[in-house]
């Protein structure tokens, strides 16, 4: 059975701190809050029109997504908002949060570039790679040595295009975790759980399994990736801690991560994340140049070829981000992002509790085809 006891150390919030945050949230009246609507009447009218749930394409896409969900083991949540001709919204995410995995790298990038826009950070400013920055994941930062220097611009590219978690954690270190979470609430309103560093995800997942996890350095956590996911990973953790396997309060690696997902960290409702992407495309969050940087990196990601984009027609302009973790996968993005509220389509999909990542990828591809055959085809006629 997985323990729900708090992790003793490694940057865990204390009960007093948690209570303080809660009181602050209550004083701010944040429950049920959303960011203010656009000041421009035409923009506000576009948002109101896109909230419609009776557009002709919605019923057809809803039926397709229902079949995709039925065919995939586990659960499949989808949110689509379309602007322009036949505006409308399909929300099959339910009134619940979905674990976002590496798609949190989009708000991280926005937080960094917002500070670039205000002059607090420069794109050419360099951060020093520290030994404590290393965390498992995609990208090539693990091939570099502590002490090497990387510009903010380079780290943004690595984080968004290659989903490099070490680069991401360096950026979070720069802007600050507390600042990042405040800004996400300002942009998207309610709906996001706390966003943490990628390294903290590992400590928070493994921490309840054994109190010794809090004393491990990040390199010990990193080396766990060398063991196959599943029982070999838990045995590697026991070996690292110098304890017997049965000293771990863990029946399986799946159970360890399911317990972590129940915390609600690094998770959001699909409408909340959609608000953030909507405002990004509309130019409400960043300067035109910074918006161009984010969308350019999202167009050029190296991790999305087997998801929604694989089902879309060749040449579809899709700025996207993917995320993958044990039993969880997401693909979020904006089709025709430069159209903003004149014709962009916000798409978010998350899969969970599937047996194999290939099943989730098939669901994402099927969603891409369904979008192409219903919403996008009718838009082009």
């Amino acid at each position: 059975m997985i323990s729900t006891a708090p992790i003793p150390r490694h940057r865990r919030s204390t009960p007093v701190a948690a209570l303080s945050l809660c009181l602050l949230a209550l004083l701010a009246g944040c429950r049920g809050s959303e960011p203010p609507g656009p000041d421009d009447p035409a923009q506000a009218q576009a948002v109101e029109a896109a909230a419609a749930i009776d557009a002709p394409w919605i019923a057809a896409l809803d039926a397709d997504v229902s079949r995709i969900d039925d065919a995939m083991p586990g659960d499949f949540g989808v949110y689509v908002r379309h602007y322009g001709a036949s505006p409308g919204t399909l929300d099959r995410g339910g009134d619940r949060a979905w674990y976002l995995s590496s798609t949190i790298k989009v708000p991280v990038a926005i937080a960094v570039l917002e500070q670039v826009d205000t002059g607090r950070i420069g794109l050419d400013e360099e951060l020093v790679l520290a030994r404590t920055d290393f965390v498992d994941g995609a990208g090539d930062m693990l091939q570099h040595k502590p002490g090497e220097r990387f510009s903010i611009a380079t780290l943004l590219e690595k984080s968004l295009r290659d989903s490099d978690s070490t680069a991401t954690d360096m950026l979070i270190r720069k802007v600050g975790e507390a600042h990042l979470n405040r800004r996400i609430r300002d942009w998207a309103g309610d709906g996001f759980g706390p966003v943490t560093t990628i390294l903290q995800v590992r400590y928070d997942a493994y921490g309840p399994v054994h109190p010794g996890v809090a004393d491990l350095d990040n390199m010990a956590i990193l080396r766990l990736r060398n063991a196959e996911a599943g029982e070999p990973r838990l045995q590697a953790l026991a070996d690292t801690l110098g304890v017997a396997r049965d000293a771990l309060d863990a029946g399986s690696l799946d159970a360890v991560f399911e317990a972590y997902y129940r915390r609600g960290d690094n998770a959001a409702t699909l409408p909340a994340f959609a608000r953030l992407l909507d405002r990004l495309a509309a130019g409400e969050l960043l300067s035109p140049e910074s918006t161009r940087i984010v969308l350019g990196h999202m167009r050029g990601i190296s991790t999305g070829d087997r998801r929604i984009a694989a089902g879309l027609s060749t040449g579809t302009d899709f700025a996207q981000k993917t995320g993958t973790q044990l039993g969880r996968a997401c693909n979020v993005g904006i089709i025709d992002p430069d159209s903003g509220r004149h014709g962009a389509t916000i798409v978010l999909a998350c899969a969970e509790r599937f047996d194999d990542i290939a099943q989730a990828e098939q669901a994402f591809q099927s969603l891409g085809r369904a979008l192409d055959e219903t919403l996008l085809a009718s838009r082009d006629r």
Side-chain angles (χ1 to χ4, degrees):
M1 186 175 190
I2 304 299
S3 170
T4 58
I7 301 171
R9 283 189 291 278
H10 202 81
R11 301 194 300 276
R12 294 282 295 150
S13 297
T14 64
V16 173
L19 179 59
S20 298
L21 288 172
C22 183
L23 289 173
L24 286 171
L26 288 172
L27 288 172
C30 70
R31 291 303 306 164
S33 67
E34 289 189 9
D39 295 329
D40 186 316
Q43 293 283 307
Q45 186 177 14
V47 172
E48 183 178 357
I53 59 174
D54 58 353
W57 56 269
I58 292 178
L61 183 59
D62 185 37
D64 285 343
V65 174
S66 180
R67 287 190 288 270
I68 295 167
D69 191 10
D70 289 343
M72 191 200 82
D75 297 311
F76 192 56
V78 171
Y79 183 100
V80 178
R81 168 160 288 194
H82 175 64
Y83 287 98
S86 192
T89 297
L90 171 65
D91 183 0
R92 288 184 57 93
D95 187 20
R96 49 154 295 184
W98 297 77
Y99 185 72
L100 302 173
S101 191
S102 286
T103 64
I104 63 104
K105 293 167 183 175
V106 175
V108 170
I110 295 172
V112 172
L113 284 165
E114 181 182 57
Q115 294 208 349
V116 170
D117 288 342
T118 61
R120 295 181 181 178
I121 295 176
L123 284 173
D124 57 353
E125 179 181 343
E126 293 183 333
L127 302 184
V128 178
L129 175 63
R131 186 176 183 273
T132 52
D133 288 321
F134 289 118
V135 59
D136 61 285
D140 67 0
M141 288 295 287
L142 293 177
Q143 301 172 23
H144 293 273
K145 296 179 180 179
E148 292 188 47
R149 306 177 72 87
F150 297 87
S151 69
I152 296 290
T154 296
L155 294 172
L156 283 167
E157 180 175 357
K158 290 179 179 294
S159 175
L160 285 176
R161 290 188 180 236
D162 301 330
S163 205
D164 195 301
S165 295
T166 298
T168 303
D169 278 5
M170 292 175 70
L171 293 172
I172 294 176
R173 170 161 60 86
K174 178 62 178 176
V175 300
E177 201 170 292
H179 174 81
L180 170 64
N181 281 282
R182 283 195 300 271
R183 296 307 290 142
I184 291 173
R185 287 193 296 273
D186 292 339
W187 301 327
D190 284 353
F192 271 82
V195 172
T196 72
T197 63
I198 309 300
L199 179 60
Q200 190 65 48
V201 172
R202 309 319 186 226
Y203 280 100
D204 288 343
Y206 292 123
V209 169
H210 192 279
V213 168
D215 297 322
L216 298 177
D217 67 14
N218 65 304
M219 299 306 291
I221 296 293
L222 174 61
R223 286 191 289 272
L224 294 177
R225 72 184 181 129
N226 297 325
E228 183 182 352
E231 184 58 30
R233 184 78 51 83
L234 291 177
Q235 184 60 58
L237 177 59
D239 294 343
T240 300
L241 292 167
V243 300
R245 167 64 180 87
D246 60 9
L248 302 185
D249 189 9
S252 69
L253 190 65
D254 284 339
V256 169
F257 275 85
E258 287 297 331
Y260 168 72
Y261 298 141
R262 287 194 291 272
R263 292 167 51 101
D265 293 358
N266 299 293
T269 65
L270 299 187
F273 205 147
R275 283 195 294 272
L276 186 147
L277 293 177
D278 183 346
R279 299 190 70 195
L280 172 66
E284 294 178 358
L285 303 184
L286 298 171
S287 68
E289 175 60 17
S290 289
T291 300
R292 185 193 65 78
I293 290 172
V294 174
L295 295 177
H297 290 326
M298 290 174 68
R299 286 179 169 110
I301 71 167
S302 60
T303 59
D305 291 347
R306 302 181 66 180
R307 299 201 179 176
I308 293 173
L312 297 173
S313 294
T314 302
T316 300
D317 184 6
F318 186 36
Q320 58 168 320
K321 184 71 189 78
T322 61
T324 309
Q325 196 161 279
L326 190 68
R328 297 293 187 275
C330 284
N331 193 179
V332 306
I334 312 167
I335 297 172
D336 297 327
D338 291 343
S339 298
R341 295 193 179 116
H342 298 290
T345 302
I346 314 296
V347 181
L348 305 96
C350 290
E352 63 180 31
R353 296 191 179 91
F354 43 82
D355 299 323
D356 185 88
I357 187 60
Q359 296 167 330
E361 289 175 339
Q362 181 58 53
F364 291 127
Q365 292 171 29
S366 296
L367 173 60
R369 287 191 292 273
L371 285 165
D372 219 42
E373 294 167 0
T374 55
L375 170 59
L376 302 183
S378 63
R379 174 201 65 180
D380 295 335
R381 284 199 291 267

